[in-house]
Amino acid sequence: MGKRHRNLIGRIADTDNLHDAYHKAARGRRSSAGYLNFKEYEAAWLAKLRRDILDQTYLPGKPRTFWVYEPKPRPITAAPFQDRVVQHALCNVIGPIFEAGMMPQAYACRKGRGMHGAAIRTQALMRQTRRRGDLYCLKTDFSKYFYSIDRAVLWRRIEAKISCRHTLWLIEQFTPREGVGLPIGSLTSQLWANVYGTEVDRFLAQTMGESRFVRYMDDLCIFGHSRSYLHALRDWLEMFCRHALGLTFSKWSIQPASRGVNFVGYRIFLTHKLLRRDSVRRAKRKIKRYTLARDKEALRFFLAAWLGHARWADSHNLLRSLAAQHRQLTQEVACSAKTKSPAASSALPTTAA
């Protein structure tokens, strides 16, 4: 058994750590009502959170739940701002502890890795493995991953690393020991989903002796030189995930890597990367909707995020096409506005009698 960490609560409730957590929680939310209320009484809020954590009287507030529909419908749980501060303070201290035990094949929600790092590593792994013969890819993901996490199994992993009872109490305020599932949208849920997925990584690397894979949360790509090998590996992996973790595959496929690998928003080939078709379709719909509605602010925010994602692929011609589409739509909107203007002003006298 590895090292167990104790006496962590003092670091979590440290004033400097809470200030750092406050600034992290404020990123991208400086116009929200929760942030503005917290900022107005910043010193009092931070002192209260510190006191409640140390006295074990802290209780999370009621979260807000809303739905997102792209790329698929799912509920998102948004914690009140003060709870986000506490979660950041907690993860500032315990995050590195669990990060040290994660496998290098995991890329989701990890500093210096992320979606683009996963795409780059996948292509590099394809090129390295391809030199030794034909290359196939087993691509799979788990059905309702966050909602299928067995919290009893998760807590065994938590208690294997942390022995500080006060810290375990604070963790339990956000992640109860009993039941199944974690809410999407919580900072602690991201950490625990990664910790849970480490069991999959360890099974592949340590039990099956397979290191040619990349995992991005519940999406998994494994490379091999034969279909039969990957079919057998899939059977073993499915059995382990079902019986040890309570996870099932939602879909899976084994295809030649020469057809491209659909992973982390890209179609990855040995020589280049393209954006996925559904991502391009959604982008075109949003550009058209925002342009016709003349919502320049929403269009600016969307393009800033989406273009940043698109430029990691070989997308020069696509971006030129989208720019031309946007110019054409803008001209049509301008022409439409001009044709309405004379009709509206025709009732007004053009010259004095």
Side-chain angles (χ1 to χ4, degrees), residues 189-216:
S189 293
Q190 290 182 4
L191 174 61
W192 302 139
N194 247 351
V195 170
Y196 206 73
T198 301
E199 298 296 309
V200 177
D201 302 339
R202 292 189 182 281
F203 174 79
L204 287 170
Q206 298 176 1
T207 304
M208 303 304 297
E210 180 55 74
S211 61
R212 299 168 299 183
F213 68 92
V214 180
R215 181 179 64 84
Y216 191 88

Side-chain angles (χ1 to χ4, degrees), residues 19 108 149 157 209 227 296:
H19 270 284
I149 290 176
R157 293 291 304 159
R227 289 179 181 271
K296 294 182 179 180

Side-chain angles (χ1 to χ4, degrees), residues 12-22 46 49-50 53 85 89:
I12 294 170
D14 179 75
T15 302
D16 290 339
N17 184 48
L18 285 171
H19 270 284
D20 180 64
Y22 161 58
L46 292 174
L49 291 178
R50 171 177 166 79
I53 291 171
V85 174

Side-chain angles (χ1 to χ4, degrees), residues 248-309:
T248 57
F249 293 156
S250 63
K251 55 182 179 292
W252 64 272
S253 64
I254 298 176
Q255 300 287 346
S258 58
R259 296 184 182 179
V261 177
N262 278 328
F263 190 50
V264 292
Y266 300 99
R267 293 167 58 208
I268 304 172
F269 297 84
L270 285 165
T271 56
H272 60 286
K273 297 190 294 290
L274 301 176
L275 289 170
R276 291 179 59 171
R277 292 188 181 93
D278 56 349
S279 175
V280 176
R281 284 195 296 268
R282 287 197 302 270
K284 288 182 177 180
R285 285 200 300 266
K286 285 191 174 182
I287 290 172
K288 183 175 182 179
R289 183 166 72 246
Y290 293 145
T291 302
L292 293 178
R294 301 186 190 182
D295 192 343
K296 294 182 179 180
E297 190 70 9
L299 180 62
R300 184 173 66 85
F301 277 113
F302 167 72
L303 288 177
W306 190 82
L307 290 177
H309 173 69

